[in-house]
Amino acid sequence: MHVVSHGDPAPDSGDFAADVLCEHGGLSLNTTSRRRISVEAAELLQNIYPSWNPLPTSSELCPVCDAHVHISKGNKRELRKQAEDEKAKLRNFHEQLLSVNSFLTDNVSCAVIPIDFAKKWKKWLERPTDCPRPERVDNTCFICKHDMLVFDPNVPNELESSALLVLKSDWDILESLYPAGPLITVRRENQESSPSSVDVYTHNPLVCVDCRMRRKEWTSTYITIRLGGSTNKGQELEDSKKSLVHSVSGARQSRRLRQIRELGEKRRLIISKFTTVKEIKVMVQEELDIPTICQRIFHHGKELNDNAATMESLEIFADDILDLRRENEAVELDSDSEVEPRDEGRGFDGTLLGSSGSQRTKILQRMHFLEPNRRT
């Protein structure tokens, strides 16, 4: 680029050399950043820049760079093949990540894996050449120093915040592909043997009560805000998990939209023990664009009505889940109040639009837009 009071740089200067030559000194593989010029143009430039030695048009591409490209293509093919092989071996697990419905049935042995591993694995399957493959299935975050669980699988919010249940058969496959452990098994009991309608899980190892309660002893943590959709005041919180209509006007909805409609939109927020409910609502307004007046927040089915209450006073756990219901803002008129009709004014009075049919006909006839009816 020309700079006033400075001489123009030569074609082989640092500003332009990388467009023609690669890091090895050979011809660059990028053909879009260079052009061929005529012999006359080259001679003219050499007269201006005597030190410039242009490469002949017969120059070959850098063999080192060319070899790297072929190796890179080979590696990408291998990564794609590896991803396809794992996807085929873990077909049930992959379908579980894409499905919005629960796959668990009674008396089926399952295993716990970190939800972060599942997210990374899914991203790697979708873009194996761009996203890194997960290194291991590490469950040590779920085990305390007493070799017991720090969360209770029978408390849904604790399980959903950081863990995912997979079939035991899928765990065995994961264990053969990745360093994995320790094993945490979970089984849902037959509902006929349970007097309550709530899912009951047996698990190994057992829950460490002391270490689980210490999860409340945190300074700052992430929580999950789960939006279940717009509901009325008389509806239950679980209404957001009703069956979906998978098509609109004959068009199939995307899987992501179906998941959002059934499971709800989720956002992760970082909070402190002194964060108030009001501050949570402000964060939600910034994240989801929902006015604070339209928000109803629940914890374990109990609505958080006190905006001044802190997370500590409400006994919110680390990595806990808060359910959000969106209320439609409505302006209701008092039934006893009288609303006077608005004076619309003359409107189109005096124009064609404000005239009756016969009047419009007469006006149009005067304007010669219509011929008067002739008597025969």
Side-chain angles (χ1 to χ4, degrees):
M1 179 179 294
H2 177 73
V3 180
V4 180
S5 72
H6 290 79
D8 292 330
D12 57 350
S13 64
D15 296 334
F16 306 119
D19 294 336
V20 178
L21 302 177
C22 68
E23 58 183 353
H24 311 107
L27 186 60
S28 173
L29 303 184
N30 187 1
T31 59
T32 61
S33 59
R34 63 173 185 268
R35 294 290 184 272
R36 292 186 179 185
I37 61 176
S38 64
V39 176
E40 293 79 5
E43 292 176 351
L44 177 61
L45 288 173
Q46 280 183 309
N47 290 333
I48 302 174
Y49 306 102
S51 61
W52 176 52
N53 294 318
L55 292 176
T57 56
S58 60
S59 300
E60 296 183 356
L61 298 175
C62 174
V64 178
C65 293
D66 195 36
H68 285 172
V69 168
H70 285 85
I71 293 174
S72 177
K73 290 181 179 179
N75 290 339
K76 289 182 178 180
R77 283 195 297 267
E78 291 180 2
L79 288 173
R80 294 190 186 98
K81 184 178 183 303
Q82 184 181 14
E84 289 298 324
D85 290 343
E86 288 195 17
K87 180 179 176 180
K89 292 179 180 179
L90 293 165
R91 180 179 177 182
N92 291 331
F93 179 41
H94 181 252
E95 291 180 353
Q96 176 190 348
L97 296 180
L98 299 179
S99 175
V100 298
N101 299 318
S102 175
F103 74 98
L104 297 179
T105 57
D106 296 335
N107 300 321
V108 173
S109 181
C110 300
V112 172
I113 66 170
I115 197 169
D116 288 340
F117 171 85
K119 292 179 179 179
K120 292 179 180 179
W121 187 76
K122 183 174 179 291
K123 287 183 179 180
W124 175 69
L125 285 188
E126 295 171 349
R127 302 173 59 188
T129 59
D130 298 325
C131 299
R133 181 175 179 264
E135 296 180 359
R136 57 185 297 113
V137 186
D138 189 3
N139 280 344
T140 55
C141 58
F142 304 131
I143 305 297
C144 70
K145 61 183 179 180
H146 308 110
D147 294 330
M148 301 176 72
L149 293 180
V150 295
F151 72 95
D152 190 349
N154 287 291
V155 179
N157 286 356
E158 294 189 29
L159 180 63
E160 295 176 7
S161 62
S162 57
L164 182 70
L165 292 181
V166 300
L167 295 173
K168 178 60 168 58
S169 57
D170 287 336
W171 168 269
D172 295 336
I173 299 174
L174 285 171
E175 199 172 24
S176 66
L177 297 173
Y178 298 88
L183 172 63
I184 303 172
T185 58
V186 176
R187 180 188 294 268
R188 187 169 73 175
E189 292 184 353
N190 193 319
Q191 293 299 297
E192 295 179 358
S193 63
S194 175
S196 65
S197 59
V198 180
D199 293 341
V200 177
Y201 297 94
T202 58
H203 46 83
N204 183 39
L206 299 177
V207 177
C208 182
V209 178
D210 293 337
C211 292
R212 176 175 174 266
M213 295 305 296
R214 287 196 190 97
R215 291 181 62 209
K216 295 166 56 176
E217 300 177 1
W218 50 271
T219 303
S220 63
T221 185
Y222 280 99
I223 62 169
T224 299
I225 301 294
R226 182 169 55 191
L227 174 61
S230 178
T231 57
N232 296 325
K233 291 184 178 181
Q235 291 179 322
E236 296 294 332
L237 184 63
E238 288 78 9
D239 285 353
S240 62
K241 295 186 178 181
K242 287 183 178 179
S243 300
L244 298 179
V245 178
H246 286 246
S247 62
V248 177
S249 302
R252 185 177 182 272
Q253 295 181 357
S254 70
R255 188 183 301 275
R256 179 179 178 273
L257 292 178
R258 297 200 306 270
Q259 289 175 338
I260 289 176
R261 287 190 58 187
E262 179 152 337
L263 300 181
E265 189 83 23
K266 293 182 180 180
R267 289 292 188 276
R268 295 270 285 175
L269 303 177
I270 186 168
I271 62 170
S272 71
K273 298 181 72 171
F274 307 105
T275 302
T276 63
V277 175
K278 179 65 175 179
E279 291 171 340
I280 293 289
K281 291 182 178 180
V282 173
M283 295 181 194
V284 171
Q285 180 175 345
E286 295 175 353
E287 286 287 331
L288 297 173
D289 198 22
I290 301 176
T292 57
I293 195 174
C294 299
Q295 299 176 28
R296 297 181 65 191
I297 298 179
F298 295 80
H299 182 239
H300 295 303
K302 180 181 178 181
E303 185 172 4
L304 307 183
N305 292 315
D306 186 2
N307 285 333
T310 63
M311 299 296 102
E312 182 180 21
S313 64
L314 296 171
E315 297 185 349
I316 304 297
F317 280 26
D319 296 318
D320 218 333
I321 295 179
L322 298 181
D323 288 295
L324 172 66
R325 285 170 55 180
R326 177 173 184 168
E327 295 293 334
N328 293 326
E329 187 177 8
V331 178
E332 297 182 358
L333 295 176
D334 189 355
S335 58
D336 296 333
S337 63
E338 296 183 358
V339 180
E340 297 181 358
R342 187 178 64 177
D343 183 11
E344 299 292 345
R346 293 173 57 90
F348 293 104
D349 191 17
T351 67
L352 287 177
L353 295 177
S355 305
S356 63
S358 60
Q359 290 175 332
R360 282 197 297 271
T361 302
K362 294 179 180 180
I363 294 173
L364 291 173
Q365 287 176 350
R366 288 199 298 267
M367 297 174 65
H368 305 290
F369 285 172
L370 292 176
E371 294 184 1
N373 292 331
R374 296 181 179 179
R375 294 181 181 179
T376 58

